Amino acid sequence: HVQLVESGGGSVMFGGSLRLSCVASGFADPKHCMAWFRQRPGGEREPVAVVDAEGSISYADSINGRFSASKDNAKNTFYLQMNALKPEDTAMYYCAADYLPRGVGPAVLAGDIVLGYWGQGTQVTVS
């Protein structure tokens, strides 16, 4: 069965950096869509970054270039490098994935497509 395991969260000071990792297992096809979402305290879940089946990465407009996503297909791991962290980045960060064709990044970011597999999340706290 599909499993997503996030790691890399923690507590950092304003301006610090963290790299989140999401290891996916159980996918029959190594080409699948993966994404990072976050849910801030009292807020709704929001998208952060999406990589489609062909490796094209899309970002939410709110990220403003501070975050960078990447995928290591050999390790089936999706990363989120977060720099210049701010207190408003404090959130539970979730990894999600699904079997989806290429080009779906914008639709996932817009909420038009909901991914079917989710990890347990990793907490990021910025003070």
Side-chain angles (χ1 to χ4, degrees):
H1 65 284
V2 172
Q3 188 173 19
L4 301 173
V5 179
E6 304 101 329
S7 63
S11 297
V12 296
M13 299 295 289
F14 177 89
S17 298
L18 283 173
R19 188 176 81 154
L20 307 183
S21 300
C22 174
V23 180
S25 61
F27 278 96
D29 185 346
K31 290 189 175 182
H32 48 266
C33 175
M34 297 183 73
W36 284 104
F37 287 77
R38 67 182 180 184
Q39 186 165 14
R40 291 185 269 199
E44 296 184 353
R45 189 175 63 195
E46 58 182 341
V48 176
V50 181
V51 60
D52 72 10
E54 295 297 328
S56 178
I57 298 176
S58 304
Y59 296 94
D61 292 340
S62 60
I63 300 306
N64 290 327
R66 295 184 298 117
F67 295 178
S68 177
S70 61
K71 186 165 186 266
D72 185 332
N73 288 324
K75 298 180 178 179
N76 217 2
T77 301
F78 189 36
Y79 301 98
L80 183 67
Q81 176 67 43
M82 304 187 296
N83 300 321
L85 284 163
K86 306 175 182 180
E88 51 263 45
D89 295 316
T90 294
M92 184 70 79
Y93 285 73
Y94 296 94
C95 178
D98 214 329
Y99 295 101
L100 292 169
R102 64 182 176 91
V104 299
V108 173
L109 292 174
D112 296 333
I113 296 176
V114 178
L115 303 183
Y117 302 99
W118 291 81
Q120 294 299 308
T122 184
Q123 177 68 39
V124 171
T125 303
V126 186
S127 58

